[in-house]
């Protein structure tokens, strides 16, 4: 009854957890999706993160197996059957032929293997190190795929901005074409000027169509990461670009030892050390002890029918002393130590690269925001004013628009590059709390 109550409580808890998770998902509106909302859906639905968590659960299950002692063995046997039908197994002393008195040798034996050389303790230590490594693997998977999520979110934000720029350009060219056609009817401009505007309008429409296709692909990429593939078309990124006034502090040496991938590599190196000790412990002989009860009536006059016995078995290493297992464990240890150093070097390289990318992106973005776009907008406005007042030709007007449009697209790309560089820098500098170890 108590077990049923416990099971009921666990079932209710699971249902409440699922209900809360569904409620949290329902509270996220894909039509106005912020980056924090996308990260919330990522932690709930991302398949790669869930797969890493399943690997952790499997490792924890292996640890349960590693800590168990060998089970005892029970043996039951009967021998000394007499095939003579006339006498059978009749007891010669009391001439009884009952099952209890028949001259059958019945034995019951229990044997237990006793491991020596701290094998069980070494297996437990190795399993615990494997759990630590798997936990850090989950953290590192989260770190890497969160970076992928942030990149996909900023790609969507960039695609939305590019589409908006192209829509504005199409609208501007349509209005310009309408005005040019009126001026053409009035004989104010040549027909070739109107044709050039019409050609630029068609090119801009093509650019808009490509921007719309890129926007749909960006939505699909983000939808996969948050587990909302069926609702990809309804996703709209709502956040603004991050502030460019972010300075990267060079704390690589401080954070390198606390990165989850480095910690996972260190845990695996320690596990390899435990496995090497375990392989060497195989040379310590295990002992198998057996206790036996025997019932054998009528065969030993002057003694009882029931006897007990004991046996001890010890393996003899006359042919093989586990040289292969020991050599393999040593090779795995060397590989784990080299992998640890390789991971540290890769992490340091990633941090250095992220610092360089962030510094360059910051300078480019500040230059665009403070100088380039301002000057380009002034030049475009001057060309519009001059053309409307007949002071310049259509060529200068279209050139100024092309330059402004190209710079607007470049500025959007620079903002996206800065946002993604900042996300990559934060991911590279990710550090675990000391208590997590």
């Amino acid at each position: 009854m108590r077990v049923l109550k416990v099971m009921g409580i666990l079932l209710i808890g699971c249902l409440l957890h699922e209900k809360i998770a569904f409620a949290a998902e329902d509270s996220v509106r894909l039509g106005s999706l912020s980056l924090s909302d996308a990260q919330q859906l990522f932690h709930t639905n991302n398949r790669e993160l869930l797969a890493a968590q399943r690997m952790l659960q499997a490792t924890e299950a292996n640890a349960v197996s590693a800590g168990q002692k060998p089970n005892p063995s029970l043996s039951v046997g009967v021998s000394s059957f007499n095939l003579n039908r006339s006498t059978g197994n009749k007891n010669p002393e009391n001439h009884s032929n009952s099952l209890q008195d028949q001259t059958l040798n019945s034995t019951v034996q229990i044997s237990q293997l006793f491991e020596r050389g701290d094998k069980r303790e070494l297996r437990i230590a190795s399993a615990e190190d494997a759990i630590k490594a798997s936990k850090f693997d989950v953290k590192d998977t989260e770190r890497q795929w969160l970076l992928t999520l942030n990149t996909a979110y900023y790609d969507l934000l960039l695609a939305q901005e590019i589409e908006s720029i192209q829509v504005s350009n199409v609208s501007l060219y349509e209005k310009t074409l309408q005005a040019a056609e009126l001026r053409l009817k009035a004989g104010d401009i040549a027909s070739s000027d109107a044709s050039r505007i019409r050609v630029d309008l068609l090119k801009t429409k093509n650019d808009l169509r490509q921007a719309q296709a890129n926007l749909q692909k960006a939505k699909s990429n983000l939808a996969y990461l948050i587990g909302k593939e069926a609702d990809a078309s309804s996703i709209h990124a709502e956040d603004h670009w991050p502030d460019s006034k972010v300075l990267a502090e060079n704390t690589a040496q401080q954070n390198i030892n606390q990165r989850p991938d480095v910690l996972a590599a260190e845990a695996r190196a320690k596990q390899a050390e435990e496995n090497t000790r375990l392989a060497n412990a195989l040379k310590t002989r295990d002992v198998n002890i057996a206790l036996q009860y025997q019932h054998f009536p009528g065969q030993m006059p002057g003694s009882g029918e029931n006897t007990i016995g004991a046996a001890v078995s010890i393996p003899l290493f006359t042919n093989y002393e586990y040289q292969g297992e020991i050599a393999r464990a040593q090779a795995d240890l060397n590989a784990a130590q080299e992998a640890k150093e390789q991971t540290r070097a890769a992490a340091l390289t990633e941090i250095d690269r992220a610092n360089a990318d962030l510094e360059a992106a910051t300078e480019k973005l500040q230059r665009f925001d403070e100088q380039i776009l301002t000057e380009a907008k002034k030049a475009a406005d001057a060309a519009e004013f001059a053309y409307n007042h007949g002071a310049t030709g259509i060529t200068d007007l279209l050139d100024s628009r092309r330059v402004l449009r190209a710079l607007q697209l470049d500025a959007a790309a620079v903002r996206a590059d800065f946002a993604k560089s900042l996300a990559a820098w934060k991911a590279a500098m990710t550090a675990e709390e000391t208590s997590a170890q």
Side-chain angles (χ1 to χ4, degrees):
M1 191 67 181
R2 185 177 179 183
V3 174
L4 293 177
K5 287 183 179 180
V6 173
M7 293 178 64
I9 292 173
L10 291 175
L11 179 60
I12 293 173
C14 292
L15 293 176
L16 287 175
H17 176 74
E18 291 183 2
K19 187 175 181 180
I20 292 173
F22 287 137
E25 288 194 22
D26 292 340
S27 66
V28 175
R29 293 187 300 171
L30 297 179
S32 57
L33 186 67
S34 66
L35 181 57
S36 60
D37 290 337
Q39 291 172 348
Q40 176 183 338
L41 291 173
F42 165 83
H43 284 100
T44 305
N45 301 328
N46 183 260
R47 294 173 178 83
E48 285 73 17
L49 185 58
L50 293 175
Q53 292 170 350
R54 299 297 173 265
M55 291 296 294
L56 172 59
Q57 293 173 358
T59 305
E60 291 173 340
N62 290 337
V64 175
S65 302
Q68 303 307 309
K69 297 180 180 179
N71 287 321
S73 298
L74 174 65
S75 302
V76 178
V78 179
S79 62
S80 300
F81 279 93
N82 193 328
L83 300 180
N84 189 334
R85 294 186 179 181
S86 59
T87 59
N89 289 92
K90 185 181 295 185
N91 194 309
E93 295 182 358
N94 55 18
H95 303 287
S96 172
N97 200 26
S98 65
L99 184 61
Q100 179 67 21
D101 294 327
Q102 286 184 0
T103 56
L104 296 177
N105 185 8
S106 305
T107 59
V108 177
Q109 178 177 281
I110 295 179
S111 60
Q112 174 67 59
L113 177 67
F114 291 90
E115 292 183 309
R116 300 173 63 241
D118 296 329
K119 295 184 180 68
R120 178 171 174 267
E121 289 75 11
L122 290 172
R123 284 200 307 269
I124 293 175
S126 175
E128 290 176 349
D129 290 331
I131 291 176
K132 287 182 181 179
S134 293
K135 287 181 178 179
F136 289 127
D137 282 342
V138 172
K139 290 292 184 180
D140 191 55
T141 299
E142 180 182 0
R143 178 186 71 88
Q144 294 183 32
W145 282 97
L146 266 178
L147 174 58
T148 303
L149 172 74
N150 293 340
T151 301
Y153 186 88
Y154 291 131
D155 283 339
L156 176 57
L157 204 58
L158 173 62
Q160 291 175 181
E161 187 166 333
I162 290 177
E163 185 200 31
S164 177
I165 293 173
Q166 298 294 5
V167 168
S168 299
N169 285 331
V170 169
S171 177
L172 178 61
Y173 273 104
E174 287 177 344
K175 292 178 181 179
T176 303
L177 180 60
Q178 292 175 1
E181 288 176 346
L182 292 176
R183 293 179 65 180
L184 179 62
K185 290 180 181 180
D188 192 23
I189 61 173
S191 60
S192 60
D193 291 344
S195 298
R196 294 183 64 178
I197 295 175
R198 192 175 293 108
V199 169
D200 271 17
L201 172 60
L202 294 174
K203 289 181 178 178
T204 306
K205 286 184 176 180
N206 280 343
D207 293 339
L208 173 59
R209 184 63 188 89
Q210 184 60 50
Q212 291 171 341
N214 293 338
L215 176 60
Q216 188 56 47
K217 288 189 287 186
K219 289 182 177 182
S220 298
N221 292 337
L222 181 60
Y224 171 79
L225 295 172
I226 61 177
K228 295 293 181 181
E229 299 85 359
D231 303 319
S233 59
S234 63
I235 296 178
H236 182 82
E238 197 67 22
D239 271 352
H240 300 290
W241 295 110
D243 188 4
S244 62
K245 297 178 180 179
V246 178
L247 298 178
E249 298 179 1
N250 189 7
T251 56
Q253 195 61 36
Q254 175 185 351
N255 288 273
I256 187 68
N257 293 325
Q258 299 302 319
R259 276 186 36 144
D261 53 346
V262 174
L263 292 173
E266 289 179 352
R268 287 199 166 85
K270 187 177 179 182
Q271 180 189 7
E273 292 178 2
E274 303 292 350
N275 289 337
T276 302
R277 295 192 189 99
L278 181 60
N280 283 285
L282 293 174
K283 295 190 295 185
T284 302
R285 293 171 174 81
D286 297 333
V287 178
N288 192 5
I289 299 178
L291 297 178
Q292 178 177 292
Y293 164 79
Q294 185 177 35
H295 179 72
F296 201 178
Q299 296 298 314
M300 291 178 286
S303 63
E305 299 177 348
N306 301 315
T307 58
I308 60 174
V312 176
S313 60
I314 300 174
L316 299 177
F317 298 157
T318 57
N319 299 319
Y320 185 60
E321 294 187 9
Y322 300 99
Q323 295 92 338
E325 286 80 354
I326 295 172
R328 175 58 186 271
Q330 185 62 48
D332 290 342
L333 174 59
N334 295 336
Q337 291 174 340
E338 292 168 359
K340 180 179 70 173
E341 296 303 320
Q342 181 183 10
T343 302
R344 285 176 57 85
L348 185 59
T349 301
E350 181 183 348
I351 291 175
D352 291 340
R353 185 172 60 246
N355 276 327
D357 290 342
L358 181 58
E359 290 175 1
T362 301
E363 293 179 8
K364 288 166 58 180
L365 180 57
Q366 290 175 350
R367 196 172 293 115
F368 260 95
D369 287 342
E370 296 173 2
Q371 296 177 346
I372 296 177
L373 284 180
T374 302
E375 297 298 328
K377 189 69 170 61
K378 289 179 181 179
D381 291 341
E384 292 282 349
F385 181 83
Y387 177 76
N388 291 333
H389 291 78
T392 186
I394 189 65
T395 301
D396 293 335
L397 173 64
L398 296 179
D399 287 343
S400 66
R401 286 183 179 177
R402 292 190 192 100
V403 170
L404 179 60
R405 180 180 63 182
L407 289 176
Q408 288 174 336
L409 296 175
D410 288 344
V414 168
R415 291 191 185 95
D417 184 54
F418 168 77
K420 290 187 280 188
S421 297
L422 179 60
W425 178 79
K426 290 181 178 179
M429 303 297 287
T430 298
E432 290 297 304
E433 297 293 336
T434 305
S435 60
Q437 300 181 50

